Amino acid sequence: MTIPDFQTLMRPVLAHLGDGETHRSRDVKDAMADLFELSEAERAAMLPSGRQRTIDNRVGWALTYLFQAGLVSRPKRGHVLISDEGRAALAAHATRIDMKALEAYPAYLEFRDRTRDKTPTSTPDGGDETAEATPSDLVEQALATNRAAVEGEVLQAALALTPTGFEDLVIRLLERMGYGRAGSVERTSASGDAGVDGIISQDPLGLDRIYVQAKRYAEDRTIDRPRIHEFAGALLGKQGDRGVFITTSRFSSGAIQEAERINARIELIDGRRLAELLVAHEVGVQAQQTVTLYRLDEDFFEGL
């Protein structure tokens, strides 16, 4: 039997998790190799990069797509657990779960939209994106899919943090982005500094400051105008005129208008933008591999 593709693996992976127990991702991969009766050679087959077994990669992607659709969760590092939506999906799709089936889940549609936003060559009409794709196009698509998937995962990891842990994450991100390079970035909420969770000192004396509020809220929660007004009041109390409000959720149109209206510059960073920044600045993620494409050097051959 040949190694199944990641879409073929989606339902078997979900069915394996159907017992409701938390499983190690490693064990799920081995279970799929057993289920599909792969030969020793097929089990040992590696990706062209030589960095990972093919079956591990495909099961990993099946889990990624199921996670993005909300059918599985990652309760702790290297472990997966079926969700209530996942159990319902098994009942609704008796034979196969694939990308088409996942379109019934809003979380997956959001993931797909993020992927398309990052791919200049994507086709919004839903056509075959690979029919006339060049190798460069395919790499762009793969990178966009990977980036969107990791952004979704890193946001979920941020949501699982304690409020204090989330504030520390935000401070780490701001440091990685270069803020406070000539001064400092510090968390203040532990000392009871109401309305402000962090302070960026842009100079060694702390004369040039940016105030930070970091709020870890559920993704479906909306931050409204009053919260921005309160933050502006905290800035006023410190004689500040610049602030950053960072959250895992989203801002209402009223909140955005309030940030633009008040006599202070407040930058709003919602969950989607936060995830993009975490991945872009490699906070909470690791680079897995790089890809190099080659082209013919015509100048070289013409000079011979």
Side-chain angles (χ1 to χ4, degrees):
M1 178 176 289
T2 59
I3 303 173
D5 62 81
F6 79 95
Q7 293 194 74
T8 299
L9 284 161
M10 286 184 188
R11 194 184 190 285
V13 164
L14 198 60
H16 182 72
L17 301 177
D19 60 6
E21 300 294 327
T22 298
H23 292 258
R24 293 194 310 166
S25 300
R26 169 76 271 167
D27 294 340
V28 176
K29 294 169 183 176
D30 291 338
M32 291 302 102
D34 293 339
L35 178 66
F36 285 89
E37 300 179 341
L38 300 186
S39 66
E40 289 303 317
E42 289 168 336
R43 291 169 186 260
M46 304 290 286
L47 295 174
S49 66
R51 294 175 178 268
Q52 188 181 30
R53 293 196 311 170
T54 301
I55 183 61
D56 290 354
N57 178 267
R58 293 182 181 177
V59 172
W61 274 110
L63 284 169
T64 292
Y65 274 76
L66 293 171
F67 173 80
Q68 295 298 330
L71 305 188
V72 302
S73 64
R74 302 183 190 274
K76 57 183 178 179
R77 180 179 179 182
H79 291 72
V80 289
L81 174 69
I82 193 170
S83 66
D84 291 340
E85 291 84 355
R87 291 191 183 89
L90 286 175
H93 304 280
T95 58
R96 180 179 173 87
I97 295 175
D98 52 22
M99 293 166 67
K100 185 65 176 177
L102 295 184
E103 291 179 358
Y105 302 92
Y108 172 76
L109 295 177
E110 183 179 348
F111 160 67
R112 190 182 64 181
D113 289 343
R114 293 201 311 270
T115 301
R116 288 178 173 175
D117 288 346
K118 299 176 189 299
T119 312
T121 56
S122 63
T123 56
D125 60 357
D128 185 356
E129 298 180 5
T130 64
E132 299 180 2
T134 67
S136 295
D137 293 336
L138 295 175
V139 169
E140 288 281 353
Q141 177 64 36
L143 289 174
T145 301
N146 174 258
R147 179 64 67 92
V150 174
E151 287 172 1
E153 292 172 349
V154 79
L155 184 58
Q156 290 300 315
L159 282 164
L161 294 173
T162 64
T164 298
F166 179 67
E167 291 163 8
D168 288 337
L169 174 70
V170 167
I171 296 301
R172 188 77 61 87
L173 171 61
L174 294 171
E175 289 176 334
R176 189 68 64 88
M177 293 174 68
Y179 287 101
R181 186 167 295 167
S184 65
V185 180
E186 60 179 313
R187 184 165 64 84
T188 62
S189 60
S191 61
D193 197 347
V196 172
D197 298 319
I199 300 174
I200 303 171
S201 297
Q202 295 285 72
D203 62 278
L205 296 179
L207 299 176
D208 186 11
R209 291 185 167 189
I210 301 174
Y211 295 94
V212 180
Q213 187 162 105
K215 295 302 177 188
R216 186 215 58 181
Y217 292 145
E219 291 180 89
D220 59 354
R221 179 171 175 177
T222 301
I223 293 179
D224 294 319
R225 183 190 300 268
R227 296 309 302 268
I228 305 303
H229 187 75
E230 291 172 5
F231 183 44
L235 292 182
L236 181 62
K238 296 181 175 297
Q239 297 182 329
D241 62 356
R242 286 180 296 168
V244 182
F245 197 122
I246 302 177
T247 182
T248 50
S249 60
R250 63 191 68 187
F251 297 98
S252 69
S253 59
I256 296 172
Q257 292 169 4
E258 181 70 6
E260 295 173 347
R261 183 192 67 80
I262 59 180
N263 189 27
R265 182 175 180 181
I266 296 180
E267 185 71 20
L268 303 182
I269 299 178
D270 61 12
R272 182 168 180 173
R273 180 60 178 151
L274 172 61
E276 292 174 347
L277 290 172
L278 288 169
V279 175
H281 294 277
E282 297 186 351
V283 177
V285 300
Q286 293 179 333
Q288 186 175 28
Q289 69 182 76
T290 58
V291 177
T292 302
L293 296 180
Y294 294 93
R295 64 175 177 81
L296 177 67
D297 187 344
E298 296 179 357
D299 292 339
F300 172 82
F301 284 98
E302 289 178 0
L304 295 179

